[in-house]
Amino acid sequence: MSGAGQMAFGDIIREARKEHGWSQAELGEKSGVSRPTIARVEANHDVTTTTIAKIAQALGLTLELKGRA
């Protein structure tokens, strides 16, 4: 985790996927990426921004970029 009380990106994706009741394979189908890629995202490995955007859209999540304070 990057800070106190903050979840890592992969943890957010996993939680949102489970809230939808989807397996990694189901999320992969809905987002157009492979199940192993979903597993990589949930394990907080590096993936492309295109992949992140596809997964977030399938889950109904929004992405927000913030500058450092």
Side-chain angles (χ1 to χ4, degrees):
M1 289 194 217
S2 57
Q6 290 185 349
M7 295 175 65
F9 179 75
D11 297 329
I12 294 168
I13 295 300
R14 182 182 306 108
E15 184 174 286
R17 174 179 61 79
K18 288 182 177 183
E19 285 176 6
H20 280 80
W22 297 342
S23 67
Q24 288 181 342
E26 288 171 314
L27 177 54
E29 289 173 17
K30 293 175 189 304
S31 62
V33 302
S34 68
R35 193 227 36 96
T37 299
I38 299 298
R40 286 181 51 79
V41 169
E42 290 185 0
N44 294 303
H45 292 157
D46 289 337
V47 293
T48 66
T49 53
T50 300
T51 298
I52 291 168
K54 287 178 181 180
I55 293 169
Q57 182 177 9
L59 291 166
L61 300 174
T62 57
L63 300 174
E64 180 179 315
L65 300 175
K66 290 185 177 184
R68 294 182 185 220

